[in-house]
Amino acid sequence: MPNERQFKLRTRFVATRDVREYRATVPVWVTPDDVVLEIGCEWGTTTAVLAERCKEVIATDISREVIERAREKHPGLRFEVLDAFDVPAALAFDRRFTKVYMDISGFSGYRSLLDVISLLTMYGTMLQPEAIVVKSGALKHFASLCMPWREASAQ
Ligand SMILES: C[S@@+](CC[C@H](N)C(=O)[O-])C[C@H]1O[C@@H](n2cnc3c(N)ncnc32)[C@H](O)[C@@H]1O
Protein backbone atom coordinates (compact mmCIF):
# COMPACT_ATOMS: atom_id res chain seq x y z
CA MET A 1 0.00 0.00 0.00
CA PRO A 2 1.47 3.41 -0.90
CA ASN A 3 1.52 5.91 1.91
CA GLU A 4 2.36 9.61 1.93
CA ARG A 5 5.35 9.24 4.29
CA GLN A 6 7.23 6.62 2.31
CA PHE A 7 10.45 7.70 0.54
CA LYS A 8 9.73 8.95 -2.96
CA LEU A 9 12.34 8.85 -5.70
CA ARG A 10 12.80 12.18 -7.46
CA THR A 11 15.37 10.97 -10.01
CA ARG A 12 14.19 11.06 -13.63
CA PHE A 13 14.99 8.00 -15.73
CA VAL A 14 15.77 8.57 -19.41
CA ALA A 15 15.58 5.38 -21.46
CA THR A 16 17.43 5.20 -24.78
CA ARG A 17 17.42 2.44 -27.35
CA ASP A 18 20.93 2.46 -28.79
CA VAL A 19 24.26 4.21 -28.52
CA ARG A 20 23.26 6.96 -30.97
CA GLU A 21 20.29 7.92 -28.78
CA TYR A 22 22.38 7.48 -25.61
CA ARG A 23 24.97 10.01 -26.78
CA ALA A 24 22.32 12.33 -28.25
CA THR A 25 21.01 12.92 -24.70
CA VAL A 26 24.27 14.54 -23.60
CA PRO A 27 23.68 18.09 -24.95
CA VAL A 28 20.08 17.94 -23.69
CA TRP A 29 20.59 16.53 -20.19
CA VAL A 30 24.15 17.49 -19.19
CA THR A 31 25.04 20.99 -18.01
CA PRO A 32 28.39 22.62 -17.08
CA ASP A 33 27.65 22.20 -13.34
CA ASP A 34 27.04 18.46 -13.54
CA VAL A 35 29.16 15.83 -11.83
CA VAL A 36 28.57 12.64 -13.82
CA LEU A 37 29.06 8.98 -12.94
CA GLU A 38 29.31 6.84 -16.06
CA ILE A 39 28.75 3.10 -15.65
CA GLY A 40 29.82 0.79 -18.47
CA CYS A 41 32.19 3.22 -20.20
CA GLU A 42 34.14 0.65 -22.22
CA TRP A 43 36.94 2.59 -24.05
CA GLY A 44 35.67 6.00 -23.04
CA THR A 45 34.01 7.21 -26.26
CA THR A 46 30.92 8.54 -24.48
CA THR A 47 33.13 9.70 -21.58
CA ALA A 48 34.90 12.11 -23.92
CA VAL A 49 31.52 13.48 -25.09
CA LEU A 50 30.37 13.90 -21.47
CA ALA A 51 33.65 15.53 -20.41
CA GLU A 52 33.15 18.34 -22.93
CA ARG A 53 29.83 19.28 -21.30
CA CYS A 54 30.16 18.73 -17.54
CA LYS A 55 32.25 19.83 -14.57
CA GLU A 56 33.57 16.34 -13.79
CA VAL A 57 33.01 12.79 -15.01
CA ILE A 58 34.14 9.58 -13.32
CA ALA A 59 33.86 6.76 -15.87
CA THR A 60 33.69 3.15 -14.73
CA ASP A 61 33.52 -0.37 -16.11
CA ILE A 62 33.63 -3.87 -14.65
CA SER A 63 36.50 -4.84 -16.96
CA ARG A 64 40.02 -3.89 -15.86
CA GLU A 65 41.21 -4.49 -19.43
CA VAL A 66 38.86 -1.94 -20.99
CA ILE A 67 39.63 0.56 -18.22
CA GLU A 68 43.35 0.30 -19.00
CA ARG A 69 42.62 0.83 -22.70
CA ALA A 70 40.37 3.82 -21.90
CA ARG A 71 43.14 5.39 -19.78
CA GLU A 72 45.58 5.01 -22.69
CA LYS A 73 43.12 6.55 -25.17
CA HIS A 74 42.02 9.42 -22.91
CA PRO A 75 44.87 10.22 -20.50
CA GLY A 76 43.19 13.39 -19.20
CA LEU A 77 40.02 11.62 -18.01
CA ARG A 78 39.33 9.55 -14.89
CA PHE A 79 38.53 5.84 -15.33
CA GLU A 80 37.97 3.33 -12.51
CA VAL A 81 36.99 -0.34 -12.24
CA LEU A 82 33.48 -0.75 -10.81
CA ASP A 83 30.81 -3.45 -10.91
CA ALA A 84 27.52 -1.63 -11.42
CA PHE A 85 25.86 -3.85 -8.81
CA ASP A 86 28.34 -2.73 -6.15
CA VAL A 87 26.55 0.49 -5.18
CA PRO A 88 28.62 0.96 -1.95
CA ALA A 89 31.76 1.17 -4.17
CA ALA A 90 30.06 3.89 -6.24
CA LEU A 91 29.22 5.76 -3.01
CA ALA A 92 32.89 5.51 -1.99
CA PHE A 93 33.80 7.95 -4.80
CA ASP A 94 32.38 10.47 -2.34
CA ARG A 95 30.88 12.80 -4.92
CA ARG A 96 27.46 14.40 -5.17
CA PHE A 97 26.68 12.96 -8.61
CA THR A 98 23.99 14.97 -10.37
CA LYS A 99 23.71 12.69 -13.42
CA VAL A 100 24.40 9.00 -13.99
CA TYR A 101 24.95 7.45 -17.43
CA MET A 102 24.49 3.67 -17.56
CA ASP A 103 25.25 1.36 -20.49
CA ILE A 104 25.88 -2.22 -19.45
CA SER A 105 26.12 -5.15 -21.85
CA GLY A 106 22.92 -7.20 -22.04
CA PHE A 107 20.55 -4.48 -20.79
CA SER A 108 18.51 -4.26 -23.99
CA GLY A 109 16.73 -7.62 -23.84
CA TYR A 110 13.44 -8.14 -21.99
CA ARG A 111 15.06 -10.72 -19.69
CA SER A 112 17.18 -7.98 -18.18
CA LEU A 113 14.28 -5.62 -17.47
CA LEU A 114 14.06 -6.42 -13.75
CA ASP A 115 17.82 -5.96 -13.35
CA VAL A 116 17.62 -2.59 -15.11
CA ILE A 117 14.75 -1.41 -12.93
CA SER A 118 16.40 -2.61 -9.71
CA LEU A 119 19.69 -0.90 -10.60
CA LEU A 120 17.93 2.36 -11.49
CA THR A 121 16.02 2.23 -8.21
CA MET A 122 19.19 1.50 -6.19
CA TYR A 123 21.16 4.35 -7.80
CA GLY A 124 18.20 6.70 -7.58
CA THR A 125 17.79 5.95 -3.88
CA MET A 126 21.45 5.86 -2.83
CA LEU A 127 22.97 8.63 -4.99
CA GLN A 128 19.83 10.68 -5.61
CA PRO A 129 21.03 12.15 -8.94
CA GLU A 130 18.68 14.44 -10.85
CA ALA A 131 18.61 11.98 -13.75
CA ILE A 132 19.89 8.59 -14.86
CA VAL A 133 20.26 8.05 -18.59
CA VAL A 134 20.24 4.35 -19.43
CA LYS A 135 20.73 2.44 -22.65
CA SER A 136 18.05 -0.24 -22.62
CA GLY A 137 15.69 -0.86 -25.51
CA ALA A 138 13.55 -3.07 -23.26
CA LEU A 139 13.09 -0.31 -20.68
CA LYS A 140 12.31 2.27 -23.38
CA HIS A 141 9.63 0.03 -24.84
CA PHE A 142 8.19 -0.83 -21.41
CA ALA A 143 8.14 2.86 -20.41
CA SER A 144 6.32 3.77 -23.62
CA LEU A 145 3.49 1.46 -22.52
CA CYS A 146 3.24 2.94 -19.00
CA MET A 147 1.20 5.95 -17.98
CA PRO A 148 0.49 7.23 -14.49
CA TRP A 149 -3.25 7.28 -13.76
CA ARG A 150 -4.44 10.77 -12.94
CA GLU A 151 -7.97 11.14 -11.64
CA ALA A 152 -8.73 14.45 -13.31
CA SER A 153 -6.94 13.96 -16.63
CA ALA A 154 -8.51 12.75 -19.82
CA GLN A 155 -7.06 9.29 -20.36
C1 LIG B 1 28.20 -1.54 -24.87
S1 LIG B 1 29.60 -1.40 -23.83
C2 LIG B 1 29.56 0.30 -23.33
C3 LIG B 1 29.84 1.28 -24.45
C4 LIG B 1 30.03 2.69 -23.93
N1 LIG B 1 28.95 3.12 -23.06
C5 LIG B 1 30.16 3.68 -25.05
O1 LIG B 1 29.31 4.55 -25.21
O2 LIG B 1 31.15 3.56 -25.81
C6 LIG B 1 29.04 -2.19 -22.36
C7 LIG B 1 30.07 -2.21 -21.25
O3 LIG B 1 29.42 -2.71 -20.07
C8 LIG B 1 30.43 -3.28 -19.28
N2 LIG B 1 29.77 -4.07 -18.21
C9 LIG B 1 29.15 -5.26 -18.30
N3 LIG B 1 28.67 -5.63 -17.10
C10 LIG B 1 28.98 -4.64 -16.22
C11 LIG B 1 28.78 -4.43 -14.83
N4 LIG B 1 28.12 -5.33 -14.07
N5 LIG B 1 29.23 -3.30 -14.26
C12 LIG B 1 29.91 -2.38 -15.02
N6 LIG B 1 30.15 -2.51 -16.34
C13 LIG B 1 29.69 -3.63 -16.93
C14 LIG B 1 31.25 -4.09 -20.28
O4 LIG B 1 32.54 -4.39 -19.78
C15 LIG B 1 31.25 -3.15 -21.49
O5 LIG B 1 32.45 -2.40 -21.54
Side-chain angles (χ1 to χ4, degrees), residues 13-25 29 101-103 107-108 132-141:
F13 301 124
V14 182
T16 63
R17 186 185 148 77
D18 54 27
V19 74
R20 189 198 61 76
E21 288 190 2
Y22 185 66
R23 290 181 189 151
T25 65
W29 278 91
Y101 269 70
M102 195 179 286
D103 174 12
F107 261 20
S108 272
I132 303 178
V133 177
V134 60
K135 194 184 97 185
S136 166
L139 183 70
K140 182 175 177 180
H141 183 245

mmCIF file of all heavy atoms in Angstrom, residues 13-25 29 101-103 107-108 132-141:
data_model
loop_
_atom_site.group_PDB
_atom_site.id
_atom_site.type_symbol
_atom_site.label_atom_id
_atom_site.label_comp_id
_atom_site.label_asym_id
_atom_site.label_seq_id
_atom_site.Cartn_x
_atom_site.Cartn_y
_atom_site.Cartn_z
ATOM 1 N N PHE A 13 14.314 9.076 -14.994
ATOM 2 C CA PHE A 13 14.987 8.004 -15.731
ATOM 3 C C PHE A 13 14.763 8.231 -17.229
ATOM 4 O O PHE A 13 13.614 8.325 -17.673
ATOM 5 C CB PHE A 13 14.435 6.634 -15.323
ATOM 6 C CG PHE A 13 14.590 6.354 -13.841
ATOM 7 C CD1 PHE A 13 13.492 6.047 -13.070
ATOM 8 C CD2 PHE A 13 15.840 6.407 -13.237
ATOM 9 C CE1 PHE A 13 13.629 5.793 -11.704
ATOM 10 C CE2 PHE A 13 15.989 6.157 -11.875
ATOM 11 C CZ PHE A 13 14.876 5.850 -11.110
ATOM 12 N N VAL A 14 15.854 8.321 -17.969
ATOM 13 C CA VAL A 14 15.765 8.572 -19.411
ATOM 14 C C VAL A 14 16.208 7.297 -20.127
ATOM 15 O O VAL A 14 17.377 6.896 -20.035
ATOM 16 C CB VAL A 14 16.671 9.756 -19.819
ATOM 17 C CG1 VAL A 14 16.533 10.043 -21.309
ATOM 18 C CG2 VAL A 14 16.359 10.992 -18.979
ATOM 19 N N ALA A 15 15.278 6.660 -20.820
ATOM 20 C CA ALA A 15 15.584 5.375 -21.462
ATOM 21 C C ALA A 15 15.891 5.589 -22.936
ATOM 22 O O ALA A 15 15.099 6.201 -23.663
ATOM 23 C CB ALA A 15 14.399 4.428 -21.301
ATOM 24 N N THR A 16 17.042 5.084 -23.370
ATOM 25 C CA THR A 16 17.429 5.200 -24.782
ATOM 26 C C THR A 16 17.606 3.805 -25.374
ATOM 27 O O THR A 16 17.867 2.845 -24.657
ATOM 28 C CB THR A 16 18.741 5.997 -24.933
ATOM 29 O OG1 THR A 16 19.797 5.278 -24.288
ATOM 30 C CG2 THR A 16 18.623 7.376 -24.317
ATOM 31 N N ARG A 17 17.464 3.735 -26.684
ATOM 32 C CA ARG A 17 17.417 2.443 -27.345
ATOM 33 C C ARG A 17 18.786 1.934 -27.802
ATOM 34 O O ARG A 17 19.071 0.751 -27.742
ATOM 35 C CB ARG A 17 16.493 2.600 -28.565
ATOM 36 C CG ARG A 17 16.179 1.368 -29.316
ATOM 37 C CD ARG A 17 15.368 1.724 -30.540
ATOM 38 N NE ARG A 17 15.663 0.801 -31.604
ATOM 39 C CZ ARG A 17 15.186 -0.428 -31.680
ATOM 40 N NH1 ARG A 17 14.372 -0.868 -30.758
ATOM 41 N NH2 ARG A 17 15.512 -1.220 -32.661
ATOM 42 N N ASP A 18 19.631 2.874 -28.244
ATOM 43 C CA ASP A 18 20.930 2.459 -28.787
ATOM 44 C C ASP A 18 21.964 3.548 -28.482
ATOM 45 O O ASP A 18 21.641 4.588 -27.896
ATOM 46 C CB ASP A 18 20.830 2.192 -30.295
ATOM 47 C CG ASP A 18 20.246 3.380 -31.045
ATOM 48 O OD1 ASP A 18 20.396 4.516 -30.573
ATOM 49 O OD2 ASP A 18 19.624 3.179 -32.111
ATOM 50 N N VAL A 19 23.190 3.298 -28.915
ATOM 51 C CA VAL A 19 24.262 4.213 -28.519
ATOM 52 C C VAL A 19 24.099 5.600 -29.154
ATOM 53 O O VAL A 19 24.484 6.615 -28.561
ATOM 54 C CB VAL A 19 25.648 3.583 -28.807
ATOM 55 C CG1 VAL A 19 25.971 3.569 -30.287
ATOM 56 C CG2 VAL A 19 26.743 4.279 -28.024
ATOM 57 N N ARG A 20 23.483 5.642 -30.340
ATOM 58 C CA ARG A 20 23.261 6.959 -30.968
ATOM 59 C C ARG A 20 22.333 7.802 -30.097
ATOM 60 O O ARG A 20 22.631 8.957 -29.787
ATOM 61 C CB ARG A 20 22.668 6.786 -32.379
ATOM 62 C CG ARG A 20 22.613 8.071 -33.179
ATOM 63 C CD ARG A 20 21.651 7.997 -34.352
ATOM 64 N NE ARG A 20 20.275 7.747 -33.940
ATOM 65 C CZ ARG A 20 19.469 8.649 -33.409
ATOM 66 N NH1 ARG A 20 19.888 9.888 -33.211
ATOM 67 N NH2 ARG A 20 18.242 8.332 -33.057
ATOM 68 N N GLU A 21 21.221 7.199 -29.660
ATOM 69 C CA GLU A 21 20.287 7.918 -28.783
ATOM 70 C C GLU A 21 20.953 8.264 -27.445
ATOM 71 O O GLU A 21 20.759 9.350 -26.901
ATOM 72 C CB GLU A 21 19.040 7.057 -28.515
ATOM 73 C CG GLU A 21 18.110 6.927 -29.688
ATOM 74 C CD GLU A 21 16.774 6.278 -29.316
ATOM 75 O OE1 GLU A 21 16.538 5.955 -28.136
ATOM 76 O OE2 GLU A 21 15.966 6.086 -30.233
ATOM 77 N N TYR A 22 21.714 7.303 -26.920
ATOM 78 C CA TYR A 22 22.379 7.480 -25.615
ATOM 79 C C TYR A 22 23.253 8.736 -25.642
ATOM 80 O O TYR A 22 23.177 9.591 -24.762
ATOM 81 C CB TYR A 22 23.195 6.209 -25.368
ATOM 82 C CG TYR A 22 23.902 6.064 -24.048
ATOM 83 C CD1 TYR A 22 23.202 5.949 -22.847
ATOM 84 C CD2 TYR A 22 25.300 5.978 -23.999
ATOM 85 C CE1 TYR A 22 23.872 5.765 -21.647
ATOM 86 C CE2 TYR A 22 25.969 5.787 -22.810
ATOM 87 C CZ TYR A 22 25.250 5.680 -21.636
ATOM 88 O OH TYR A 22 25.915 5.480 -20.447
ATOM 89 N N ARG A 23 24.066 8.849 -26.688
ATOM 90 C CA ARG A 23 24.971 10.015 -26.775
ATOM 91 C C ARG A 23 24.212 11.287 -27.128
ATOM 92 O O ARG A 23 24.623 12.387 -26.727
ATOM 93 C CB ARG A 23 26.084 9.741 -27.795
ATOM 94 C CG ARG A 23 27.040 8.690 -27.276
ATOM 95 C CD ARG A 23 28.170 8.391 -28.236
ATOM 96 N NE ARG A 23 28.909 7.220 -27.769
ATOM 97 C CZ ARG A 23 29.554 6.374 -28.553
ATOM 98 N NH1 ARG A 23 29.582 6.575 -29.861
ATOM 99 N NH2 ARG A 23 30.187 5.337 -28.042
ATOM 100 N N ALA A 24 23.105 11.140 -27.864
ATOM 101 C CA ALA A 24 22.320 12.331 -28.250
ATOM 102 C C ALA A 24 21.694 13.007 -27.032
ATOM 103 O O ALA A 24 21.311 14.177 -27.092
ATOM 104 C CB ALA A 24 21.232 11.943 -29.260
ATOM 105 N N THR A 25 21.586 12.300 -25.915
ATOM 106 C CA THR A 25 21.005 12.923 -24.702
ATOM 107 C C THR A 25 21.970 13.911 -24.060
ATOM 108 O O THR A 25 21.546 14.777 -23.291
ATOM 109 C CB THR A 25 20.655 11.865 -23.624
ATOM 110 O OG1 THR A 25 21.873 11.250 -23.156
ATOM 111 C CG2 THR A 25 19.692 10.816 -24.134
ATOM 112 N N TRP A 29 20.716 16.826 -21.623
ATOM 113 C CA TRP A 29 20.593 16.534 -20.186
ATOM 114 C C TRP A 29 21.790 16.976 -19.356
ATOM 115 O O TRP A 29 21.693 17.087 -18.131
ATOM 116 C CB TRP A 29 20.348 15.030 -19.980
ATOM 117 C CG TRP A 29 18.901 14.702 -20.179
ATOM 118 C CD1 TRP A 29 18.296 14.328 -21.341
ATOM 119 C CD2 TRP A 29 17.859 14.766 -19.196
ATOM 120 N NE1 TRP A 29 16.946 14.152 -21.142
ATOM 121 C CE2 TRP A 29 16.658 14.416 -19.833
ATOM 122 C CE3 TRP A 29 17.821 15.083 -17.840
ATOM 123 C CZ2 TRP A 29 15.429 14.376 -19.156
ATOM 124 C CZ3 TRP A 29 16.603 15.039 -17.160
ATOM 125 C CH2 TRP A 29 15.428 14.700 -17.823
ATOM 126 N N TYR A 101 25.123 8.063 -16.103
ATOM 127 C CA TYR A 101 24.951 7.451 -17.428
ATOM 128 C C TYR A 101 25.260 5.967 -17.283
ATOM 129 O O TYR A 101 26.301 5.604 -16.724
ATOM 130 C CB TYR A 101 25.893 8.119 -18.460
ATOM 131 C CG TYR A 101 25.216 9.268 -19.151
ATOM 132 C CD1 TYR A 101 24.931 10.440 -18.462
ATOM 133 C CD2 TYR A 101 24.811 9.159 -20.480
ATOM 134 C CE1 TYR A 101 24.254 11.479 -19.092
ATOM 135 C CE2 TYR A 101 24.140 10.199 -21.120
ATOM 136 C CZ TYR A 101 23.864 11.353 -20.417
ATOM 137 O OH TYR A 101 23.189 12.367 -21.038
ATOM 138 N N MET A 102 24.360 5.110 -17.787
ATOM 139 C CA MET A 102 24.487 3.670 -17.561
ATOM 140 C C MET A 102 24.282 2.898 -18.868
ATOM 141 O O MET A 102 23.231 2.990 -19.490
ATOM 142 C CB MET A 102 23.414 3.272 -16.539
ATOM 143 C CG MET A 102 23.620 1.921 -15.921
ATOM 144 S SD MET A 102 22.316 1.567 -14.727
ATOM 145 C CE MET A 102 22.744 2.612 -13.351
ATOM 146 N N ASP A 103 25.322 2.159 -19.256
ATOM 147 C CA ASP A 103 25.248 1.356 -20.493
ATOM 148 C C ASP A 103 26.014 0.062 -20.243
ATOM 149 O O ASP A 103 27.234 0.011 -20.395
ATOM 150 C CB ASP A 103 25.868 2.148 -21.658
ATOM 151 C CG ASP A 103 25.961 1.329 -22.938
ATOM 152 O OD1 ASP A 103 25.349 0.239 -23.002
ATOM 153 O OD2 ASP A 103 26.649 1.776 -23.876
ATOM 154 N N PHE A 107 21.690 -5.186 -21.398
ATOM 155 C CA PHE A 107 20.555 -4.478 -20.794
ATOM 156 C C PHE A 107 19.415 -4.202 -21.771
ATOM 157 O O PHE A 107 18.415 -3.616 -21.387
ATOM 158 C CB PHE A 107 21.032 -3.161 -20.183
ATOM 159 C CG PHE A 107 21.239 -3.252 -18.701
ATOM 160 C CD1 PHE A 107 21.413 -4.474 -18.089
ATOM 161 C CD2 PHE A 107 21.274 -2.106 -17.919
ATOM 162 C CE1 PHE A 107 21.612 -4.573 -16.719
ATOM 163 C CE2 PHE A 107 21.466 -2.190 -16.553
ATOM 164 C CZ PHE A 107 21.638 -3.419 -15.954
ATOM 165 N N SER A 108 19.563 -4.615 -23.041
ATOM 166 C CA SER A 108 18.508 -4.257 -23.987
ATOM 167 C C SER A 108 17.420 -5.312 -24.096
ATOM 168 O O SER A 108 16.309 -5.018 -24.501
ATOM 169 C CB SER A 108 19.113 -3.946 -25.361
ATOM 170 O OG SER A 108 19.445 -2.581 -25.379
ATOM 171 N N ILE A 132 19.056 9.710 -14.399
ATOM 172 C CA ILE A 132 19.887 8.593 -14.856
ATOM 173 C C ILE A 132 19.494 8.304 -16.300
ATOM 174 O O ILE A 132 18.317 8.055 -16.590
ATOM 175 C CB ILE A 132 19.676 7.324 -14.007
ATOM 176 C CG1 ILE A 132 19.966 7.597 -12.526
ATOM 177 C CG2 ILE A 132 20.558 6.182 -14.535
ATOM 178 C CD1 ILE A 132 19.724 6.403 -11.601
ATOM 179 N N VAL A 133 20.486 8.390 -17.185
ATOM 180 C CA VAL A 133 20.255 8.050 -18.590
ATOM 181 C C VAL A 133 20.745 6.619 -18.780
ATOM 182 O O VAL A 133 21.877 6.285 -18.411
ATOM 183 C CB VAL A 133 21.030 9.010 -19.515
ATOM 184 C CG1 VAL A 133 20.839 8.604 -20.976
ATOM 185 C CG2 VAL A 133 20.573 10.452 -19.288
ATOM 186 N N VAL A 134 19.876 5.763 -19.297
ATOM 187 C CA VAL A 134 20.239 4.350 -19.430
ATOM 188 C C VAL A 134 20.016 3.884 -20.861
ATOM 189 O O VAL A 134 19.058 4.305 -21.512
ATOM 190 C CB VAL A 134 19.440 3.486 -18.413
ATOM 191 C CG1 VAL A 134 17.946 3.587 -18.626
ATOM 192 C CG2 VAL A 134 19.872 2.024 -18.450
ATOM 193 N N LYS A 135 20.945 3.051 -21.332
ATOM 194 C CA LYS A 135 20.735 2.438 -22.651
ATOM 195 C C LYS A 135 20.079 1.084 -22.429
ATOM 196 O O LYS A 135 20.721 0.140 -21.957
ATOM 197 C CB LYS A 135 22.065 2.281 -23.385
ATOM 198 C CG LYS A 135 21.876 1.984 -24.877
ATOM 199 C CD LYS A 135 23.188 1.729 -25.564
ATOM 200 C CE LYS A 135 23.425 0.240 -25.644
ATOM 201 N NZ LYS A 135 24.750 -0.089 -26.207
ATOM 202 N N SER A 136 18.793 1.015 -22.750
ATOM 203 C CA SER A 136 18.054 -0.240 -22.617
ATOM 204 C C SER A 136 16.802 -0.147 -23.488
ATOM 205 O O SER A 136 15.838 0.552 -23.145
ATOM 206 C CB SER A 136 17.646 -0.482 -21.152
ATOM 207 O OG SER A 136 16.674 -1.515 -21.096
ATOM 208 N N GLY A 137 16.847 -0.851 -24.613
ATOM 209 C CA GLY A 137 15.687 -0.857 -25.511
ATOM 210 C C GLY A 137 14.464 -1.435 -24.814
ATOM 211 O O GLY A 137 13.338 -0.955 -25.023
ATOM 212 N N ALA A 138 14.680 -2.454 -23.954
ATOM 213 C CA ALA A 138 13.547 -3.074 -23.259
ATOM 214 C C ALA A 138 12.879 -2.076 -22.331
ATOM 215 O O ALA A 138 11.638 -1.991 -22.259
ATOM 216 C CB ALA A 138 14.023 -4.289 -22.464
ATOM 217 N N LEU A 139 13.689 -1.289 -21.604
ATOM 218 C CA LEU A 139 13.089 -0.308 -20.681
ATOM 219 C C LEU A 139 12.358 0.780 -21.464
ATOM 220 O O LEU A 139 11.262 1.204 -21.087
ATOM 221 C CB LEU A 139 14.161 0.320 -19.785
ATOM 222 C CG LEU A 139 13.576 1.282 -18.755
ATOM 223 C CD1 LEU A 139 12.779 0.544 -17.692
ATOM 224 C CD2 LEU A 139 14.649 2.145 -18.111
ATOM 225 N N LYS A 140 12.957 1.212 -22.585
ATOM 226 C CA LYS A 140 12.306 2.270 -23.377
ATOM 227 C C LYS A 140 10.941 1.787 -23.875
ATOM 228 O O LYS A 140 9.947 2.519 -23.799
ATOM 229 C CB LYS A 140 13.197 2.690 -24.548
ATOM 230 C CG LYS A 140 12.570 3.807 -25.357
ATOM 231 C CD LYS A 140 13.465 4.331 -26.449
ATOM 232 C CE LYS A 140 12.686 5.400 -27.243
ATOM 233 N NZ LYS A 140 13.492 5.972 -28.324
ATOM 234 N N HIS A 141 10.897 0.557 -24.347
ATOM 235 C CA HIS A 141 9.625 0.031 -24.845
ATOM 236 C C HIS A 141 8.615 -0.111 -23.703
ATOM 237 O O HIS A 141 7.450 0.292 -23.822
ATOM 238 C CB HIS A 141 9.843 -1.323 -25.531
ATOM 239 C CG HIS A 141 8.587 -1.886 -26.115
ATOM 240 N ND1 HIS A 141 8.009 -3.045 -25.658
ATOM 241 C CD2 HIS A 141 7.767 -1.420 -27.091
ATOM 242 C CE1 HIS A 141 6.896 -3.261 -26.328
ATOM 243 N NE2 HIS A 141 6.732 -2.307 -27.210
#
